Amino acid sequence: MSEIATMPKVRGKLTPNAPLAPLVWFKSGGSAEWLFEPADTDDLTGFLSELDPRVPVMALGLGSNLIVRDGGVSGVVVRLGKAFAKIDRLDETTLRCAGGASGILVSSTARDAGIAGLEFLRGIPGTVGGFVRMNGGAYGREVSDILVSARLVLRSGEVVEWPLDHLGYTYRHSEVPQGAVVVEALFRGTPGDPEAIGAEMDAIARAREESQPLRSRTGGSTFKNPPGHKAWALVDAAGCRGLTIGGAQVSEKHCNFLLNLGSATSAEIEELGEEVRRRVEAKTHINLEWEIQRVGTQ
């Protein structure tokens, strides 16, 4: 951990040595040197503009696709709370969504407004900030299909509005800079029937419930799908279904999910993922890439 002598004054909540395990789905890992929950965007911009530029900053959403290593995270972790969960309808097909709004809230708001095309967000367990950053996707669609623009607070505290083509989207990746926080996004769909949209969302929810270990301590989809392949099928073919290291296990229900059986350290979870990657490489000569973000020190 670094030594931060003084911190800027804030209106939100600034907590030293804040445990992160309760805030992430795996329920494992160390603490943040500082956890900052800003009162609003002005609070965030003021804080970042005054913070020593050498101090690292990381945004945290719902913690659904994240391994926080056991040594914790240096610098400042920014978490957008309820003040950043607002959604406004701009016109017949466009929603302005704050960075802390969940995929469920965005898709439900779109349904109620008769906006189709955002149903897949029902299947992404994260916030607007997280799935804009990583071009989150599910069920054949991804954020780049619906995004108009995103509003970012850069590490310097500068606020910028980036159109879709400036985000450099590829599969589960964007050019959102290190230390930047996504505070807002415009999503555009097409006119639709709320009842039909709701039925599609219900079908997505059922499919997730049936195929994924949603009630477990997990991190969601672990590896990116290589071109022409499904990651889960490669993991299964390599004999990794149910594989365990310490308290970590490859899910038997969906083997592109890793589980914390209750007492796993983040080191065990990450080691299990690396062992899966080794076995898949040996079996198929395909190098699986992590989709889960891994942050902090061992």
Side-chain angles (χ1 to χ4, degrees):
M1 292 290 187
S2 63
E3 290 294 331
I4 303 177
T6 59
M7 297 294 281
K9 286 186 168 56
V10 300
R11 288 179 288 109
K13 187 178 180 183
L14 187 59
T15 308
N17 301 314
L20 293 177
L23 304 181
V24 300
W25 279 30
F26 272 125
K27 303 303 179 195
S28 68
S31 298
E33 191 170 6
W34 291 90
L35 177 66
F36 178 38
E37 299 167 278
D40 50 35
T41 299
D42 287 343
D43 196 26
L44 176 61
T45 57
F47 175 83
L48 292 180
S49 63
E50 294 177 27
L51 183 67
D52 185 328
R54 296 171 296 179
V55 176
V57 172
M58 184 195 91
L60 173 66
L62 293 184
S64 58
N65 202 234
L66 186 71
I67 293 173
V68 173
R69 293 181 173 127
D70 300 308
V73 180
S74 295
V76 178
V77 173
V78 176
R79 187 168 185 251
L80 303 183
K82 290 182 180 178
F84 290 86
K86 189 177 180 183
I87 300 175
D88 296 313
R89 183 179 183 178
L90 296 187
D91 58 37
E92 188 182 10
T93 57
T94 309
L95 296 178
R96 178 170 57 204
C97 305
S102 69
I104 291 177
L105 180 60
V106 175
S107 58
S108 298
T109 303
R111 174 200 62 207
D112 295 345
I115 300 174
L118 281 64
E119 296 90 343
F120 74 99
L121 296 177
R122 175 65 180 82
I124 301 180
T127 59
V128 168
F131 52 70
V132 166
R133 177 181 288 275
M134 70 174 293
N135 192 21
Y139 303 98
R141 302 210 79 199
E142 55 191 11
V143 166
S144 59
D145 296 327
I146 60 171
L147 187 78
V148 178
S149 64
R151 191 169 179 236
L152 285 62
V153 179
L154 303 181
R155 172 61 186 82
S156 64
E158 179 188 1
V159 180
V160 296
E161 185 88 21
W162 281 10
L164 170 63
D165 59 8
H166 200 73
L167 284 153
Y169 275 140
T170 53
Y171 176 61
R172 302 296 178 266
H173 177 77
S174 77
E175 297 298 329
V176 172
Q178 189 77 21
V181 181
V182 178
V183 292
E184 195 174 273
L186 297 185
F187 295 129
R188 181 168 293 150
T190 56
D193 172 54
E195 193 170 320
I197 295 167
E200 176 66 19
M201 287 171 57
D202 290 345
I204 288 171
R206 282 195 303 273
R208 289 187 70 231
E209 183 72 39
E210 291 168 3
S211 65
Q212 300 175 12
L214 300 181
R215 304 187 190 284
S216 305
R217 297 180 176 189
T218 183
S221 183
T222 305
F223 304 109
K224 298 178 182 179
N225 289 324
H229 296 275
K230 294 290 188 183
W232 76 264
L234 296 172
V235 174
D236 201 15
C240 296
R241 186 184 293 268
L243 180 68
T244 61
I245 291 180
Q249 181 185 55
V250 177
S251 171
E252 296 188 6
K253 187 173 186 179
H254 190 312
C255 46
N256 196 27
F257 283 64
L258 303 182
L259 307 179
N260 175 359
L261 297 179
S263 61
T265 63
S266 290
E268 289 172 340
I269 296 167
E270 188 169 2
E271 183 184 351
L272 177 60
E274 290 296 338
E275 177 62 21
V276 168
R277 293 180 69 239
R278 282 192 289 272
R279 294 191 184 194
V280 169
E281 170 81 27
K283 174 83 172 179
T284 66
H285 306 294
I286 293 173
N287 179 30
L288 286 179
E289 291 184 38
W290 283 91
E291 182 170 325
I292 287 178
Q293 305 298 303
R294 294 154 295 142
V295 300
T297 56
Q298 300 285 8

